[in-house]
Amino acid sequence: MSLTLYGAARSRASMVRWYLEEKAIPYAFVQLDLRNGEQRREPFTRINPFGKVPALVDDSLSGPDGEAFKLFESGAILFHLAERYGEEFEASGPGGVDAGMARRSLTAQWLLFANATLGPAMFQLESRPEEMQHLLGTLNRQLETSTHMLAGSWGDPGWGAADCVVQAYLAYIPMFCPGLDLTPYPAVTNTIEATSQRPAYRKVMGLG
């Protein structure tokens, strides 16, 4: 098995790298020069014709072109890694097969929520502040119950792709929304602080 992740600093490739590091999944990282448009030229456009990062090549699988399996979009990449290498949806333990299937769907839910709802709300903060407040209030209540997004009656599966994507976006808030008052959301604040102290996160983000 050989995984190659293509990305750049301050891109969504960072959350994929974080997942790989947390799960100790071997991979190679290729950093592209976005400023000079490397992502919009071959050979990278043979991996992602849209010229965006991140992208993944997994040579343990064959794609429809008969070559090594290629995947783009951070959410799709994280889901693939969780299913194939993270062993997050195993049927063993409380709930059996039903729990595994439910966790699979719930992971997809949180991946889509983070990329399609939470992320855009951060970057639309000035025009739609009430949306961000609503999302943070709801997430705060969720995080008060458990720090893991999929914890529940089937037990706590531990840190996984759903946690990775939600925690990564929350950790971006102090960087991209420095004026946002997080005082009303103590569980969110605690999550951001805990994320910033995780060794794998610090390694990927260059925090020492």
Side-chain angles (χ1 to χ4, degrees):
M1 180 271 290
S2 177
L3 296 173
T4 303
L5 176 67
Y6 294 80
R10 299 178 68 86
S11 75
R12 289 182 182 179
S14 297
M15 69 178 71
V16 179
R17 287 188 68 200
W18 179 26
Y19 182 87
L20 289 162
E21 293 286 345
E22 289 278 358
K23 294 292 186 177
I25 301 169
Y27 72 102
F29 180 60
V30 177
Q31 183 160 312
L32 301 180
D33 186 346
L34 303 190
R35 182 170 295 181
N36 288 323
E38 188 178 4
Q39 76 279 16
R40 296 195 177 94
R41 300 192 298 266
E42 289 193 356
F44 181 71
T45 51
R46 292 201 296 269
I47 300 169
N48 183 359
F50 296 102
K52 302 286 187 180
V53 295
L56 182 79
V57 176
D58 181 348
D59 71 4
S60 73
L61 295 172
S62 294
D65 57 3
E67 299 180 356
F69 183 67
K70 307 173 189 69
L71 200 60
F72 56 84
E73 290 293 334
S74 61
I77 293 169
L78 282 169
F79 192 84
H80 171 71
L81 295 172
E83 184 166 52
R84 187 162 177 84
Y85 301 106
E87 300 180 348
E88 294 191 28
F89 314 132
E90 296 295 319
S92 60
V97 173
D98 288 344
M101 292 179 64
R103 284 178 178 144
R104 188 177 188 274
S105 296
L106 287 170
T107 296
Q109 168 192 274
W110 286 113
L111 290 168
L112 290 167
F113 164 79
N115 282 334
T117 302
L118 182 57
M122 288 174 53
F123 295 105
Q124 296 169 6
L125 180 60
E126 290 189 7
S127 61
R128 300 180 61 193
E130 70 287 347
E131 173 68 6
M132 194 62 180
Q133 292 165 8
H134 169 66
L135 296 178
L136 290 176
T138 304
L139 282 171
N140 194 74
R141 290 189 292 273
Q142 168 98 9
L143 292 167
E144 285 175 338
T145 303
S146 175
T147 58
H148 292 152
M149 306 310 295
L150 301 191
S153 60
W154 297 307
D156 189 337
W159 189 93
D163 304 298
C164 177
V165 71
V166 173
Q167 291 171 9
Y169 274 105
L170 292 179
Y172 289 156
I173 291 175
M175 292 184 268
F176 295 108
C177 309
L180 181 60
D181 181 14
L182 294 176
T183 305
Y185 318 109
V188 168
T189 301
N190 291 340
T191 297
I192 293 171
E193 176 60 25
T195 297
S196 70
Q197 297 305 314
R198 295 182 76 99
Y201 180 84
R202 296 183 66 81
K203 175 182 177 180
V204 167
M205 299 301 291
L207 300 176

